[in-house]
Amino acid sequence: MLSASENQHNRGIKAGSLLLAGLFLICQQSISVAAEKSAADSEPQRLAGQIDQFIRAAHQREQVQIAPRASDAEFMRRVYLDLSGKIPPVAEVHQFLADTTPDKRSQLIERLLASPGFVVHFTSLWREILIPEAGTDPFARQQVPEFEAWLRTQLRNDTSYAALAQAIIAAPFDQDAAQAETMEPTPRAFYVAKQLKPESLAASTSRAFLGVRIECAQCHDHPFDTWKQEQFWKFAAFFANIDQSQQNNLITGFGLREVTGKPAIKIPDTNRLVEASFLNGKEIDWEQNQRGARERLSEWITSSQNPYFAKASVNRIWSLFFGRGIVDPVDDFSATNPASHPELLDTMARAFQQHDYDLKYLIREITNSETYQLTSRQTDPSQSRAEWYGKMPTRGLTSEQIFANLVQATGFFRQTTETDPRLIAGGTNSPQTEIYELFQSEAENQLEPRATILQALALMNGTFITNATSLEESDVFTAIVDFPGQSVEQKIEAFYLSTLSRPPTSAEQNRLKSYITASEDQTDAYANLFWALLNSSEFLLNH
């Protein structure tokens, strides 16, 4: 038997061992937590998550009640329109809705970014941004095919946005008509559409790539901002060395010429001659090397030191997905027009720079954010302010999207995703030309779609819709109505999926079933249903 002192000694050893074991465990846990924290700190957070953090902080500050997440059908239609320019095929809707993979939304985004439809759609978007004159000026419209061919190549090759901007600003002019058939397309249409006028080129370049409306200082100092008339003309001087004397070459777009020497321009109605200067006032050493003025300008605009380019770029891209910019209008960065979310704008601009101005990277992060994936249904009055993104804003569609949706939904006018639909058109009386001209929008953002009586009449009574909802002309209508063995409910659902990319609600299904079964001519009743869906706001908006 152990003595009392020995028992006490053993208990002390055991207690000490337990204490050491406990301390060891605590140390191990501390090391593990520290290691996890270190790993988390060293791994940069995805931009999508940062976007959501900034928007959620604004929700708390502004007391905005966030809307629920969009349904799979709502999200699929939205992202298809935003990335490929048209609604999804019915077969893909079925497949996506049945998919139970947790990351199926991210997978869909990747498929669309890699699709030919992405190249075609974003070619159309950038062409509208860079050559808006093509919508109203027949002369500018002649330059569209080559410019779009060039843009498609850049997007297909994943050219960085900075490199794309540099190539446009410093576009070569040494190509003649004889060389055109053997040489690659160029972006010189940006210059030809502006008729080589330095003041027009300065204003367009500043708006498109810097988000600055410097043309307000063309005739006098800007009344509300810091820009001076002299600054405008110093910026315009970068384009003053382009020879404007060859009008025939301007019309054809070939044989344009740029003279050498220090660029300078005379301010109209004055005797002042000013030399080219960047908007930040930095002096240029023209004797340093022989690079052209426009090449130097392109390098300054896309420089990481330029405070405007990255912010203006991400702001414009953001507007394509939310209908408005963080600075809105997107080309009006000024002291009197502050950003709604300045920290978010700065963060996205830095990330865009760090990823070498990769357009797909930025688009991927925006569309993967929960902010983008909210429903557009308003569930609380606090969601009505679009700039706080409490819900997804409802947006108008471009004329190209409207026509592409009609084609996809009806199968009436065949078109491939590899080709720009503008180049398929058969003359000025073709259906797509009619749609393009009627639905051209001059609104500053997509949140202000302006419907007209002529647009409504074209959709309600136009030849295209009439034929697209007839048994004789429409592939989709015929396939649904004549498909053997389908019930009335299945046919109603097929019409909904082909137009609205979602199944009907129970209330819609019951009401329409009663209408169709009670009709003497069910084919005519189905045609009325199809017509109503094609003319609905839900079909003509992105939401």
Side-chain angles (χ1 to χ4, degrees):
M1 179 178 293
L2 296 174
S3 65
S5 61
E6 288 175 327
N7 282 331
Q8 186 177 2
H9 176 72
N10 288 343
R11 285 196 299 270
I13 293 174
K14 185 176 181 180
S17 299
L18 290 172
L19 179 60
L20 288 172
L23 289 172
F24 179 77
L25 180 60
I26 291 171
C27 288
Q28 287 292 95
Q29 290 174 339
S30 299
I31 292 170
S32 176
V33 169
E36 289 175 0
K37 186 176 186 303
S38 176
D41 290 343
S42 64
E43 182 180 345
Q45 184 184 13
R46 279 194 63 173
L47 179 59
Q50 293 177 291
I51 290 171
D52 293 331
Q53 285 182 355
F54 283 115
I55 296 300
R56 299 299 176 269
H59 289 166
Q60 292 181 357
R61 185 179 67 250
E62 302 297 328
Q63 298 183 329
V64 175
Q65 180 66 44
I66 189 171
R69 198 172 191 236
S71 67
D72 283 344
E74 186 180 5
F75 169 77
M76 186 183 199
R77 183 182 187 275
R78 177 188 304 161
V79 78
Y80 246 91
L81 281 168
D82 282 339
L83 296 190
S84 71
K86 62 183 178 181
I87 57 177
V90 173
E92 292 192 27
V93 176
H94 277 297
Q95 184 179 359
F96 186 74
L97 296 183
D99 188 358
T100 58
T101 308
D103 64 341
K104 67 178 184 180
R105 294 192 180 193
S106 294
Q107 291 181 19
L108 175 60
I109 290 168
E110 292 303 322
R111 289 198 300 274
L112 291 173
L113 286 173
S115 70
F118 172 82
V119 172
V120 171
H121 178 50
F122 274 79
T123 292
S124 176
L125 289 178
W126 289 124
R127 188 261 308 149
E128 288 186 356
I129 291 167
L130 296 168
I131 311 184
E133 300 89 347
T136 56
D137 182 3
F139 171 72
R141 195 174 298 131
Q142 295 175 13
Q143 313 303 319
V144 165
E146 185 192 15
F147 190 72
E148 291 194 337
W150 179 82
L151 270 176
R152 281 195 296 272
T153 300
Q154 308 312 306
L155 292 170
R156 195 179 297 119
N157 294 338
D158 292 330
T159 302
S160 79
Y161 187 63
L164 185 146
Q166 284 187 346
I168 291 171
I169 298 166
F173 291 153
D174 56 353
Q175 188 184 53
D176 59 34
Q179 296 173 310
E181 295 183 3
T182 59
M183 296 182 69
E184 293 293 325
T186 76
R188 64 170 173 262
F190 179 75
Y191 285 83
V192 177
K194 278 80 176 164
Q195 300 184 35
L196 306 184
K197 294 179 180 178
E199 62 272 28
S200 299
L201 289 164
S204 296
T205 300
S206 179
R207 276 188 177 230
F209 300 114
L210 300 175
V212 175
R213 297 182 176 184
I214 195 175
E215 70 271 20
C216 295
Q218 180 174 342
C219 300
H220 46 72
D221 292 347
H222 198 296
F224 307 116
D225 212 337
T226 59
W227 307 115
K228 306 300 181 184
Q229 183 186 29
E230 185 172 303
Q231 280 181 291
F232 173 84
W233 288 102
K234 284 184 174 182
F235 192 69
F238 280 101
F239 307 99
N241 282 356
I242 303 172
D243 187 354
Q244 301 180 59
S245 63
Q246 301 167 301
Q247 291 300 314
N248 290 334
N249 289 345
L250 178 59
I251 293 172
T252 63
F254 299 112
L256 301 174
R257 192 169 65 91
E258 186 171 17
V259 300
T260 58
K262 184 184 298 183
I265 195 168
K266 183 181 178 183
I267 299 178
D269 301 323
T270 73
N271 292 320
R272 285 185 293 163
L273 189 70
V274 293
E275 294 181 0
S277 176
F278 302 134
L279 290 181
N280 62 359
K282 182 181 178 181
E283 294 296 326
I284 303 170
D285 182 2
W286 295 105
E287 306 300 327
Q288 184 179 6
N289 54 52
Q290 299 302 312
R291 285 179 301 161
R294 293 184 299 115
E295 184 179 355
R296 291 193 183 206
L297 177 63
S298 73
E299 292 172 354
W300 174 79
I301 283 179
T302 58
S303 167
S304 60
Q305 305 304 311
N306 188 316
Y308 292 104
F309 178 70
K311 288 184 181 181
S313 302
V314 299
N315 187 60
R316 188 178 290 279
I317 294 165
W318 176 272
S319 75
L320 298 177
F321 295 93
F322 292 96
R324 70 184 308 280
I326 295 173
V327 171
D328 194 70
V330 294
D331 54 5
D332 191 18
F333 276 69
S334 67
T336 58
N337 187 37
S340 57
H341 304 268
E343 297 89 354
L344 173 58
L345 186 63
D346 289 344
T347 299
M348 288 199 299
R350 283 195 302 271
F352 195 38
Q353 285 181 324
Q354 291 165 1
H355 287 80
D356 298 323
Y357 300 98
D358 183 347
L359 284 170
K360 285 186 177 179
Y361 159 77
L362 186 59
I363 292 168
R364 179 183 297 112
E365 295 303 309
I366 290 174
T367 53
N368 270 295
S369 71
E370 285 299 318
T371 302
Y372 176 81
Q373 297 187 23
L374 296 178
T375 182
S376 62
R377 290 180 291 105
Q378 183 166 317
T379 57
D380 189 88
S382 63
Q383 299 159 5
S384 60
R385 294 277 298 274
E387 66 269 29
W388 302 129
Y389 308 105
K391 66 178 183 67
M392 190 64 183
T394 299
R395 295 166 283 148
L397 300 176
T398 66
S399 56
E400 285 88 349
Q401 285 175 312
I402 291 172
F403 182 73
N405 284 354
L406 290 169
V407 170
Q408 184 77 286
T410 66
F412 173 59
F413 191 90
R414 292 172 180 81
Q415 147 187 348
T416 63
T417 57
E418 290 80 5
T419 310
D420 189 313
R422 278 185 178 273
L423 306 183
I424 300 175
T428 56
N429 296 322
S430 63
Q432 64 270 52
T433 301
E434 179 186 10
I435 295 295
Y436 290 156
E437 292 178 351
L438 280 174
F439 287 89
Q440 284 288 344
S441 175
E442 296 180 1
E444 288 198 317
N445 64 45
Q446 293 174 288
L447 305 184
E448 302 171 355
R450 299 169 185 171
T452 66
I453 294 175
L454 288 177
Q455 290 173 350
L457 289 174
L459 291 177
M460 289 190 293
N461 303 316
T463 303
F464 184 97
I465 298 296
T466 301
N467 290 336
T469 55
S470 72
L471 200 61
E472 295 78 14
E473 298 287 349
S474 172
D475 292 346
V476 170
F477 185 76
T478 304
I480 295 174
V481 173
D482 285 352
F483 195 85
Q486 271 200 330
S487 64
V488 172
E489 293 93 331
Q490 289 173 320
K491 291 179 180 180
I492 292 171
E493 179 173 303
F495 279 118
Y496 266 78
L497 290 173
S498 67
T499 53
L500 306 185
S501 306
R502 66 168 177 87
T505 65
S506 298
E508 289 168 335
Q509 180 70 264
N510 293 334
R511 191 182 311 118
L512 290 168
K513 181 181 178 182
S514 299
Y515 163 69
I516 290 169
T517 53
S519 300
E520 294 183 5
D521 186 341
Q522 287 198 358
T523 298
D524 187 56
Y526 283 124
N528 290 338
L529 167 60
F530 201 21
W531 178 91
L533 292 172
L534 293 172
N535 279 276
S536 67
S537 296
E538 188 173 351
F539 181 76
L540 295 170
L541 295 171
N542 195 357
H543 46 81

